[in-house]
């Protein structure tokens, strides 16, 4: 599940309302990996694509390709300030990440002695 704080939801609703045309939602496109660093590209889109899945919360619809949803699980979106300017702070920590072990790969099964 994606977590969006109430201030970020309010800011996204305000931005969507100010757009010159109606949009289907905010598209999320992750790139990179947990070990090298994630980047999340956001863009308003007018329509959904065939492989898109959507998630809505309090009037904000997030759209992503079905193959990206596992990466987006556990994402946190909050309104923050950077260099005196308001913006979104997005933290990606995909399910199954093994960064605490120093690897992006799932843990190897333990070998049984025997």
């Amino acid at each position: 599940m994606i977590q969006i704080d109430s201030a970020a939801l309010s800011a996204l609703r305000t931005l969507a309302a100010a757009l010159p045309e109606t949009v289907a939602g905010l598209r999320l496109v992750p790139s990179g990996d947990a070990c090298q660093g994630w980047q999340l590209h956001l863009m308003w889109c007018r329509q959904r694509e065939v492989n898109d899945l959507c998630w809505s919360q309090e009037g904000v619809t997030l759209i992503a390709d079905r193959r990206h949803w596992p990466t987006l699980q556990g994402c946190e979106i909050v309104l923050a300030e950077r260099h005196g300017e308001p913006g979104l702070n997005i933290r990606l920590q995909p399910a199954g990440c093994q960064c605490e072990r120093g690897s992006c790969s799932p843990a190897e099964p333990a070998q049984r002695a025997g």
Side-chain angles (χ1 to χ4, degrees):
M1 159 112 20
I2 296 175
Q3 306 279 329
I4 307 176
D5 78 357
S6 60
L9 278 168
S10 179
L12 288 169
R13 281 193 302 268
T14 300
L15 288 170
L19 293 171
E21 49 190 50
T22 304
V23 294
L26 184 64
R27 181 170 298 282
L28 309 175
V29 182
S31 64
D33 64 44
C35 294
Q36 301 299 317
W38 289 103
Q39 291 187 345
L40 187 62
H41 305 278
L42 307 171
M43 65 209 81
W44 296 105
C45 61
R46 289 186 284 181
Q47 61 187 27
R48 293 173 44 188
E49 301 295 327
V50 173
N51 289 320
D52 284 344
L53 296 177
C54 297
W55 181 76
S56 294
Q57 181 178 337
E58 298 179 35
V60 173
T61 300
L62 303 178
I63 301 171
D65 186 283
R66 118 179 13 262
R67 71 179 192 264
H68 292 148
W69 277 109
T71 302
L72 296 168
Q73 295 304 306
C75 176
E76 296 175 357
I77 302 174
V78 299
L79 191 62
E81 196 172 290
R82 185 176 192 183
H83 305 292
E85 296 291 324
L88 296 175
N89 184 13
I90 302 167
R91 181 177 164 265
L92 281 173
Q93 184 68 28
C97 178
Q98 302 293 320
C99 289
E100 66 277 0
R101 285 187 28 255
S103 170
C104 291
S105 304
E108 294 281 327
Q111 297 289 328
R112 290 185 141 186

